[in-house]
Amino acid sequence: MSKRFLFRLMALLIIPALLLSACAGGTVEEEQEFVFGVVLVGPKNDRGWSQAHYEGGQYVEENMPGARMIVFESLNPADKPEATLEGVVDDMVADGAQLVFTTSDEFEEDTLGAAEKYPEVTFISISGDDAWAEGQDAGKAPPNLGNIMGRMPDMKAVAGCAAALATETGKLAYLGPLINFETRRLAASAYLGARYCYDEFRGMDPDDLEYTVTWIGFWFNIPGVTLDPTEVTTNFIDSGADVVLSGIDTTEAIVVSGQRADQGERVFAVPYDFVGACDEKPEICLGVPYFNWGPDYLETASAVEAGSWEQEWEWNKAAWDALDDRTKTPIGWIHGPGLTDEWKADLETFIDGMASGDVVVWKGPLNLQDGTTYLEEGEVATGQQIWYLPQLLEGMEGPSK
Amino acid sequence: MHIQLQNIHKHFGDVKANDGITLEFEPGKIYGVLGENGAGKTTLMKVLSGYHKPDHGTIVIDWTDRSFFSPADALAAGIGMIYQDPLDVPSMRTVENYVLGRSGALAVDLGKAEEELTAFASTVGFEVNPRAYIDTLSLGERQQLELIRLLSLGADLLILDEPTTGISADQKEQLFNSLQKLAGKDGKIIILVSHKLSEVQELCDEVYVLRRGRKVGGVTLPATKQSLVSLMFEELPKRTERASYIREHTIMQLQDLQLSDGRILVGPLNLELHAGEVLGLAGLEGSGQQLLLRACAGLVEAESGKIIIEERDMTRFGYHKRREEGVAYMPSGRLEEGLVEGLSLTDHFVLAEPQHGFVIQRERYQQLTEERIDEYQIVGQSTSRVEELSGGNQQRALLALLRKSARLILLEHPTRGLDVRSAEWIWQVLFQRAAEGAGIIFFSADLDEIIERSDRIAAFSGGQMSRIVTADQTTTDELGHMIGGEL
Amino acid sequence: MTGRAWLRRLWPLAPVLGALVITSGLLLLFGVSPFEGFGALLQGAFGTEAKVLSVAAFWVPLTLAAAGLVVAFTAGLWNIGVEGQIVMGAVASSWLALRFDAPRPILLVAEILVAMAAGALWAGVVAIFKTRGGVHEIFGGLALNNIAIIFTNYLISGPWQPPEGGTFRGTVPFPEKALFPLLGVSRLSPLSIALTLGALAAVYFILRGTYWGLKLDALGRNPKSAFLLGVSSEREMILAMMFCGALAGLGGSVRVLSWFDSLRQSISGGIGFLALLVVMLALFRVVLVPFVAFFFSAVLSGSISLQLRTQLHSSLGGILTSVMVLLVLLFGDYRQLGIFGSRGGKALADE
């Protein structure tokens, strides 16, 4: 009776399981606990966007006594069709969360609803603009909802500058994800940084600089759905580009460039998003712009705990003197091993100029891609103008929509 | 090897297929298991071969109690069975089928297996082509292959269920020679399940006779046919004398009909079938008679020519359309083609009868089914699932499923595997249909049946149809020559 | 009833028990008490009214797809393409919601009908590939799943992208009147509950009491015999697939019009594949489908809390359900054990 035997076997298995579980209970209760939630769109170890937020949360736990983070990973309909932001927030609040970070623009609308449902809890919608008094969605946000974003365009300008210093063919390529305000502004900012440095340090005509943007369609490769970033990068290099800037979450740009470098070609890459991204191929890496959420998270958490938090739309500038200090700056730049000393010196000069305000790359005259005027001669772009950049700029090749 | 079956009981629902059977088998002997349809022969053999588990009773091998969970279990103990409908995997090569079911290395050395297979076959006296695809083989060849496979897996007891149905006379002779050798020289036990008395008399040493799930006698051969028949049946069945029902009216006309199934070409055929006429088709399996029958049913498309039924050209009509127009077809496969395992008798009638509306009126069909069960003397209930019925009762069910309104009735092996009395009964039903004006075409592997039941007979050989002879003026000898190609 | 008979009755629960044991083992391996773990799971599924409503809201499309699959399975068809059929239903509803204006009741009915039609059409393509082109429905279905997903992505990033540019999310939210009326702040609509119960009743009735249901059953068991008995295999196969597709499409409609409020990138996210598991665990019987689907929905929703509470990966719920299905397939071979009768439950076989 093999089946009866199995039945007995199961009974035998379940008894110790129950006994063990009875002994295992009992968690340690901490006093003076400050609980905050972090909702991630991807896995917490994605070596990109979500991991940066997770590490930001860890930074708070390390630096704030009594702080405890609750994380929910991979909240997206493809991975978890059954999960909703409301449901996750319900659980977090039930578990005592006083502050919740929702870390994707995908959560923007649902975060509004959650903030209305739990007025006593503070919500930070990362990369959103609902709490921006001058923004397009001004007035939408309840008072317990704030936004935080790092001023990544500045770092992208640095990245563009590094690329302009390194290029010999005068052809740069930008591997873009999908098209929206954020991605347009980042691609454009890198272009402006490149133009500035091509002119200032190389003494070349910036109008001769070729700058191609290809949007693959998503933040990472989805076979059959997006363009294949490996192939796109290969095409870039085949058509003469010698620096590839990445705007996507994954590492294809540096990986492919590295392979071509191994075959003796002179190519460089600038990855994106993750501090350690240069490790893929250090010798051709010019540097990496990255997000560093820890300091902002800590500041927000402390303010919420102290009861001094106020609604704000934060578009935080870098700590220019400490771009590689992860305790200080919300966004940063790390020099890559691929920079020569000469380039490094020029880049430092550029960074110092950006920091002091002497160098302003978002300055007229600038036209949009369709030829209409974006900034008049000498006009400096406002925050709104940069944030809501409607098209790519004149001189950039690639679709705006 | 020495085997005892002790007090075997096996019930299917209310049907007592085996009701306390005790038998003994000794090595080196050939046993016959006789009985009319539904006597419990096949069930008993399936119990012995591990296919069924008995409800009660034990199988004792060499004085040790054994119980089997599967046919593989039984085979490991040396018991192998060749089923009436061979169970091999059709779209495989012979050699692949041969290596199936044996354990050992993961990688199969087909080359070596081929040699082994051919060598094994020749020791038993068979010739096989290891590379042929199974579905291109005749029933007889498949049977040989199965026999070789079982022997190569170490079977000491071989059960053959109606092995001579559907195979040629040559193949039968080969088979019997090998069986005699296997028993006499190798000391194997052979069990032959059959209803053909002459074969049992020819081959067996001992005969067990079953009736209604019980053993009613054991006879050591030789014994007279008469004594066996009186054990099997309570009374002797009579041969039929019947009138001709042929009318003037033409049911079906074939005009220059040509058919092909990729292997043989049939035709061009010209043929007329009258109302009330029974036309028998003789021929070795695969000679074209089945193709013709299926073409008449609308299951095979004509290459050229016309099929005119009831004065309408139905050449382009499909099976379902022709069915509506009064063509009925009864396949030979029963559970493979014909009946749906898992469905009840009532379900079958619901499917087969014309549909009324969208919702099934269960009571109506229940009643209809019970009427048919009575009418066709099916042992079973309207709720019985078809696989619970014995082979003979399945055959009756198939017959009962033919629509009453059918004008043209096409039958494959109408009495295959049935005992004399069941066969007789089925023919009475069919003659009734003929008397009512239906035209009947059938083929059978049994020449006697064709001669006795038909009005006219045509023989097929290699796709060609012979002249048509009248049944009461022909002889087995004449037909034999026609089948052999003297058209 | 004898002890043995009881054991037979309860045997189907053995895989459930087995799966609990295995997942308990996993929990212990990660240092979490199974009591705490399953407690969190239960609380996550039923702890508050909102959670119960959310479980029910997820249950709706899952049950719809599974009910459709029962019909396809009965006809012996493996409709793996159900995922794509959900997606196409969602796309069709979204098209109306975005582009058409009509009074709410008319708009809602039109959205539902067009979703069912789209799902049925998508399934019909698979079926015709099978009957005419000899392409097995598993391969045809997988291909069309992919195409449906690519099509959604094209729409979201192309013609239907929001005015501010393509984003991860999907289209702009549909106007209020194009959406199902919801219960409070939940994602559950009384309308979808009614539709689901209606669908279940229809499937039950079709399989129990209609000619069509019996034909499909015969076809699923033995296509050759069914054909000879008068069942038009090609027609019934196509219809069975289309019926399944229509229910899946309806599920897609529910997904965009009540769970979300717009067409999203992964509108189904594998609900179709989950529904296949549901049907297997439900032993292909429609009466068990709503309960098994509810169980799946509860376990998956509950595992959100499990992840938050224990910080274990939330795929534990998925593991639990998958292990259960696996165990059912391994040990719950009820037909050979003779515990159940035929799929319609008509006769109880005594082995």
Side-chain angles (χ1 to χ4, degrees):
Chain A
M1 289 308 292
S2 63
K3 265 128 205 169
R4 200 169 291 165
F5 169 74
L6 269 168
F7 195 80
R8 285 188 188 146
L9 189 70
M10 277 176 190
L12 282 177
L13 279 170
I14 197 162
I15 292 165
L18 291 174
L19 284 176
L20 273 171
S21 61
C23 307
T27 48
V28 187
E29 296 293 324
E30 272 185 45
E31 283 173 48
Q32 289 284 316
E33 205 182 38
F34 179 80
V35 183
F36 66 100
V38 177
V39 187
L40 305 175
V41 69
K44 65 187 175 195
N45 54 356
D46 67 352
R47 297 180 72 79
W49 177 261
S50 288
Q51 181 165 354
H53 284 285
Y54 179 64
E55 287 176 359
Q58 286 180 320
Y59 183 80
V60 176
E61 279 186 319
E62 282 158 19
N63 292 287
M64 187 172 154
R68 177 165 72 85
M69 167 170 56
I70 326 170
V71 191
F72 192 79
E73 299 176 67
S74 299
L75 179 62
N76 63 69
D79 281 332
K80 300 208 171 94
E82 73 281 1
T84 62
L85 185 75
E86 299 129 65
V88 172
V89 167
D90 285 349
D91 275 328
M92 288 179 163
V93 172
D95 204 8
Q98 292 157 266
L99 167 65
V100 175
F101 296 97
T102 61
T103 67
S104 167
D105 63 347
E106 204 200 354
F107 305 147
E108 197 174 349
E109 186 188 320
D110 291 337
T111 308
L112 270 178
E116 275 161 13
K117 188 170 170 188
Y118 295 108
E120 74 287 359
V121 177
T122 304
F123 288 88
I124 301 294
S125 172
I126 299 295
S127 91
D129 60 350
D130 294 324
W132 189 9
E134 292 87 35
Q136 286 180 349
D137 294 330
K140 256 190 176 178
N144 57 326
L145 172 65
N147 298 125
I148 297 181
M149 190 64 184
R151 263 185 98 96
M152 183 49 80
D154 291 345
M155 294 302 110
K156 283 288 188 180
V158 174
C161 176
L165 292 172
T167 184
E168 273 181 3
T169 59
K171 288 180 181 171
L172 306 183
Y174 190 90
L175 184 64
L178 43 84
I179 311 177
N180 65 19
F181 288 127
E182 181 192 353
T183 58
R184 276 198 294 265
R185 95 174 75 97
L186 295 181
S189 199
Y191 174 63
L192 294 176
R195 277 182 71 98
Y196 183 91
C197 294
Y198 205 52
D199 183 15
E200 181 72 23
F201 300 112
R202 302 288 299 279
M204 314 277 269
D205 181 357
D207 289 340
D208 291 341
L209 189 67
E210 283 183 35
Y211 187 90
T212 310
V213 184
T214 300
W215 309 101
I216 63 163
F218 201 58
W219 291 101
F220 45 80
N221 182 32
I222 308 173
V225 175
T226 60
L227 299 180
D228 180 358
T230 300
E231 208 168 293
V232 172
T233 308
T234 305
N235 285 342
F236 281 155
I237 299 171
D238 287 345
S239 59
D242 59 357
V243 185
V244 181
L245 297 116
S246 174
I248 66 171
D249 277 355
T250 44
T251 55
E252 285 86 351
I254 186 165
V255 171
V256 175
S257 305
Q259 288 161 356
R260 299 292 286 255
D262 285 342
Q263 291 163 22
E265 291 177 68
R266 184 183 180 281
V267 279
F268 296 95
V270 185
Y272 179 47
D273 244 10
F274 180 66
V275 199
C278 275
D279 299 346
E280 295 286 346
K281 192 73 185 173
E283 59 271 32
I284 61 143
C285 183
L286 297 178
V288 56
Y290 66 97
F291 283 103
N292 183 39
W293 302 96
D296 283 339
Y297 273 30
L298 183 59
E299 193 188 316
T300 310
S302 307
V304 170
E305 192 188 29
S308 60
W309 184 87
E310 277 180 27
Q311 180 174 44
E312 204 182 345
W313 174 79
E314 294 182 44
W315 200 13
N316 292 320
K317 287 186 175 154
W320 285 103
D321 53 346
L323 289 183
D324 54 359
D325 183 345
R326 300 193 62 197
T327 63
K328 292 196 177 125
T329 188
I331 44 171
W333 165 266
I334 290 178
H335 288 315
L339 289 175
T340 63
D341 288 343
E342 188 189 345
W343 299 344
K344 204 179 277 176
D346 289 342
L347 198 58
E348 295 282 0
T349 315
F350 178 74
I351 290 170
D352 290 344
M354 293 271 289
S356 65
D358 294 342
V359 176
V360 180
V361 295
W362 287 82
K363 191 163 129 187
L366 281 178
N367 286 344
L368 294 175
Q369 210 179 27
D370 63 3
T372 54
T373 308
Y374 172 59
L375 297 173
E376 301 287 352
E377 173 80 48
E379 186 187 357
V380 174
T382 64
Q384 284 98 323
Q385 278 174 312
I386 298 176
W387 186 275
Y388 298 118
L389 179 69
Q391 294 173 24
L392 296 184
L393 301 172
E394 200 171 59
M396 298 169 75
E397 277 176 41
S400 282
K401 281 201 167 192
Chain B
M1 187 188 227
H2 176 273
I3 294 196
Q4 284 171 295
L5 293 172
Q6 293 178 342
N7 195 25
I8 301 292
H9 284 263
K10 181 73 194 172
H11 299 185
F12 296 102
D14 295 334
V15 183
K16 293 177 182 173
N18 290 166
D19 195 15
I21 298 180
T22 300
L23 300 177
E24 191 168 359
F25 301 102
E26 289 170 1
K29 285 191 175 176
I30 303 181
Y31 291 85
V33 176
L34 277 174
E36 72 179 305
N37 273 283
K41 298 168 298 200
T42 304
T43 304
L44 184 68
M45 292 304 121
K46 284 187 172 176
V47 167
L48 178 55
S49 64
Y51 191 87
H52 286 321
K53 256 175 68 186
D55 298 335
H56 292 290
T58 42
I59 300 170
V60 183
I61 301 181
D62 294 336
W63 297 277
T64 314
D65 278 16
R66 299 293 295 262
S67 49
F68 304 132
F69 294 99
S70 68
D73 247 16
L75 189 53
I79 299 177
M81 176 155 176
I82 296 173
Y83 295 91
Q84 208 169 335
D85 308 306
L87 297 172
D88 39 25
V89 191
S91 60
M92 289 182 108
R93 288 176 193 278
T94 306
V95 60
E96 290 163 339
N97 180 71
Y98 172 74
V99 297
L100 263 188
R102 64 189 54 204
S103 46
L106 274 178
V108 175
D109 186 347
L110 282 183
K112 204 176 136 214
E114 267 180 38
E115 283 173 31
E116 208 180 295
L117 171 61
T118 329
F120 223 111
S122 64
T123 63
V124 195
F126 295 148
E127 249 180 68
V128 291
N129 172 7
R131 305 219 174 167
Y133 281 96
I134 305 263
D135 45 8
T136 66
L137 300 184
S138 72
L139 195 65
E141 287 170 316
R142 287 203 226 175
Q143 196 181 57
Q144 294 179 352
L145 178 64
E146 187 62 12
L147 190 76
I148 293 165
R149 201 176 69 90
L150 292 176
L151 287 172
S152 75
L153 289 170
D156 284 321
L157 183 152
L158 285 170
I159 306 167
L160 296 96
D161 190 3
E162 303 285 0
T164 58
T165 343
I167 69 174
S168 69
D170 274 357
Q171 285 171 337
K172 180 182 139 185
E173 204 181 309
Q174 269 186 6
L175 179 70
F176 280 14
N177 284 340
S178 340
L179 291 180
Q180 268 157 347
K181 212 164 89 187
L182 284 169
K185 230 176 94 192
D186 303 339
K188 312 244 178 213
I189 307 177
I190 309 288
I191 302 178
L192 180 74
V193 179
S194 179
H195 65 279
K196 290 182 188 153
L197 293 176
S198 54
E199 287 172 5
V200 172
Q201 282 180 306
E202 180 187 340
L203 190 68
C204 300
D205 305 312
E206 305 262 351
V207 176
Y208 293 118
V209 183
L210 304 185
R211 197 196 296 159
R212 294 190 187 171
R214 294 169 174 275
K215 177 183 146 192
V216 291
V219 180
T220 307
L221 292 173
T224 62
K225 201 167 195 169
Q226 188 57 40
S227 64
L228 293 176
V229 170
S230 60
L231 266 178
M232 278 172 73
F233 304 104
E234 281 142 76
E235 56 188 86
L236 272 178
K238 289 182 202 133
R239 286 181 75 87
T240 45
E241 296 297 328
R242 71 170 178 95
S244 163
Y245 307 111
I246 301 180
R247 304 177 191 182
E248 197 62 30
H249 175 69
T250 302
I251 294 273
M252 183 177 72
Q253 216 181 344
L254 303 181
Q255 296 177 352
D256 295 322
L257 183 69
Q258 274 190 296
L259 307 166
S260 164
D261 68 348
R263 274 184 290 160
I264 54 164
L265 278 170
V266 176
L269 296 173
N270 286 287
L271 185 71
E272 265 190 31
L273 182 74
H274 291 275
E277 182 179 11
V278 180
L279 176 68
L281 306 179
L284 295 178
E285 205 181 331
S287 301
Q289 66 274 44
Q290 187 178 37
L291 208 55
L292 171 62
L293 211 67
R294 296 197 163 202
C296 293
L299 292 164
V300 171
E301 265 186 66
E303 301 270 299
S304 65
K306 279 184 182 172
I307 299 173
I308 295 163
I309 299 171
E310 293 284 20
E311 282 151 19
R312 288 174 64 193
D313 183 353
M314 297 202 188
T315 317
R316 300 271 153 248
F317 286 19
Y319 171 74
H320 289 127
K321 187 94 187 280
R322 285 194 212 181
R323 219 169 147 261
E324 295 307 317
E325 300 292 339
V327 179
Y329 163 73
M330 188 170 98
S332 60
R334 294 183 202 162
L335 288 184
E336 293 139 33
E337 305 179 287
L339 300 175
V340 182
E341 221 171 309
L343 293 190
S344 70
L345 273 176
T346 310
D347 289 337
H348 281 80
F349 283 103
V350 176
L351 290 170
E353 291 293 313
Q355 187 172 331
H356 297 279
F358 186 65
V359 181
I360 303 169
Q361 300 92 37
R362 280 271 159 204
E363 300 75 37
R364 209 189 107 130
Y365 285 100
Q366 188 88 18
Q367 205 186 331
L368 176 90
T369 309
E370 273 154 21
E371 280 168 28
R372 296 284 171 91
I373 287 175
D374 283 349
E375 188 183 343
Y376 288 83
Q377 298 171 18
I378 299 167
V379 181
Q381 280 159 16
S382 57
T383 51
S384 304
R385 291 188 281 158
V386 288
E387 69 271 24
E388 294 166 4
L389 304 177
S390 71
N393 283 310
Q394 288 172 1
Q395 195 77 2
R396 285 165 194 250
L398 275 177
L399 200 63
L401 284 166
L402 299 180
R403 286 191 186 169
K404 291 268 185 192
S405 58
R407 304 282 299 145
L408 173 62
I409 300 176
L410 306 161
L411 308 153
E412 296 185 357
H413 300 295
T415 61
R416 173 151 98 180
L418 301 192
D419 60 77
V420 183
R421 207 158 45 162
S422 296
E424 177 61 35
W425 186 88
I426 281 186
W427 275 109
Q428 288 316 316
V429 173
L430 291 171
F431 289 145
Q432 182 59 37
R433 292 286 188 96
E436 287 160 16
I440 296 176
I441 305 181
F442 78 101
F443 69 78
S444 168
D446 185 348
L447 267 190
D448 289 343
E449 181 178 31
I450 293 178
I451 293 175
E452 187 186 345
R453 310 298 181 182
S454 312
D455 293 309
R456 293 194 299 158
I457 300 171
F460 277 80
S461 175
Q464 294 304 306
M465 191 175 82
S466 69
R467 64 185 184 272
I468 297 175
V469 297
T470 338
D472 49 15
Q473 284 163 18
T474 189
T475 58
T476 318
D477 194 49
E478 184 187 9
L479 284 184
H481 282 95
M482 279 156 65
I483 292 169
E486 292 172 31
L487 301 172
Chain C
M1 204 179 275
T2 63
R4 185 152 175 243
W6 272 112
L7 191 71
R8 285 164 151 232
R9 270 301 144 82
L10 292 177
W11 178 252
L13 291 178
V16 177
L17 211 64
L20 283 175
V21 172
I22 290 175
T23 27
S24 297
L26 272 178
L27 283 171
L28 285 172
L29 206 65
F30 289 104
V32 177
S33 136
F35 278 144
E36 196 192 334
F38 290 124
L41 200 89
L42 270 178
Q43 231 171 32
F46 307 113
T48 64
E49 194 189 317
K51 287 183 196 302
V52 177
L53 289 177
S54 171
V55 168
F58 189 67
W59 170 83
V60 166
L62 187 60
T63 308
L64 282 169
L69 282 172
V70 171
V71 173
F73 271 119
T74 302
L77 296 164
W78 278 82
N79 186 13
I80 303 285
V82 65
E83 176 78 1
Q85 291 144 27
I86 295 175
V87 172
M88 290 315 282
V91 167
S93 279
S94 304
W95 172 62
L96 277 190
L98 280 172
R99 294 283 187 261
F100 287 86
D101 190 31
R104 190 171 192 182
I106 297 175
L107 190 57
L108 287 186
V109 170
E111 282 167 346
I112 289 171
L113 290 180
V114 82
M116 294 178 75
L121 205 74
W122 211 240
V125 172
V126 177
I128 286 171
F129 273 16
K130 181 190 173 75
T131 55
R132 287 291 158 91
V135 180
H136 194 283
E137 71 270 16
I138 290 183
F139 302 120
L142 282 176
L144 285 183
N145 282 350
N146 245 352
I147 294 174
I149 290 165
I150 292 169
F151 186 52
T152 321
N153 285 320
Y154 160 74
L155 290 172
I156 293 175
S157 61
W160 292 356
Q161 76 168 271
E164 71 264 25
T167 67
F168 191 172
R169 292 188 75 242
T171 65
V172 289
F174 305 143
E176 185 63 30
K177 69 177 191 175
L179 300 175
F180 283 4
L182 297 179
L183 277 176
V185 287
S186 73
R187 295 175 179 225
L188 180 66
S189 169
L191 179 61
S192 34
I193 292 279
L195 288 169
T196 311
L197 294 179
L200 286 168
V203 171
Y204 179 79
F205 177 68
I206 284 171
L207 296 184
R208 277 298 280 229
T210 67
Y211 287 99
W212 190 51
L214 183 61
K215 284 180 186 173
L216 296 186
D217 197 6
L219 205 55
R221 291 168 184 277
N222 186 337
K224 270 191 191 167
S225 293
F227 182 84
L228 290 177
L229 285 168
V231 178
S232 163
S233 340
E234 181 176 3
R235 199 187 102 191
E236 309 306 349
M237 246 185 225
I238 294 173
L239 285 178
M241 283 293 272
M242 289 182 76
F243 184 89
C244 178
L247 288 193
L250 181 58
S253 177
V254 169
R255 203 68 188 153
V256 279
L257 300 179
S258 63
W259 183 269
F260 297 116
D261 54 2
S262 52
L263 182 63
R264 304 290 179 97
Q265 213 219 1
S266 296
I267 195 66
S268 171
I271 289 176
F273 301 123
L274 276 178
L276 284 162
L277 294 184
V278 166
V279 176
M280 288 182 224
L281 194 59
L283 309 170
F284 305 95
R285 303 199 320 170
V286 69
V287 283
L288 295 182
V289 159
F291 305 104
V292 176
F294 191 78
F295 174 78
F296 266 61
S297 180
V299 168
L300 291 174
S301 307
S303 44
I304 297 169
S305 297
L306 180 68
Q307 180 188 351
L308 287 166
R309 193 75 64 78
T310 61
Q311 294 295 305
L312 284 182
H313 202 268
S314 76
S315 52
L316 199 79
I319 294 174
L320 176 67
T321 48
S322 313
V323 168
M324 237 173 242
V325 172
L326 211 62
L327 290 176
V328 164
L329 295 180
L330 275 177
F331 303 118
D333 198 347
Y334 51 95
R335 257 169 268 177
Q336 274 186 17
L337 286 172
I339 288 171
F340 295 101
S342 59
R343 257 174 280 178
K346 279 168 211 115
L348 270 173
D350 197 325
E351 215 171 5

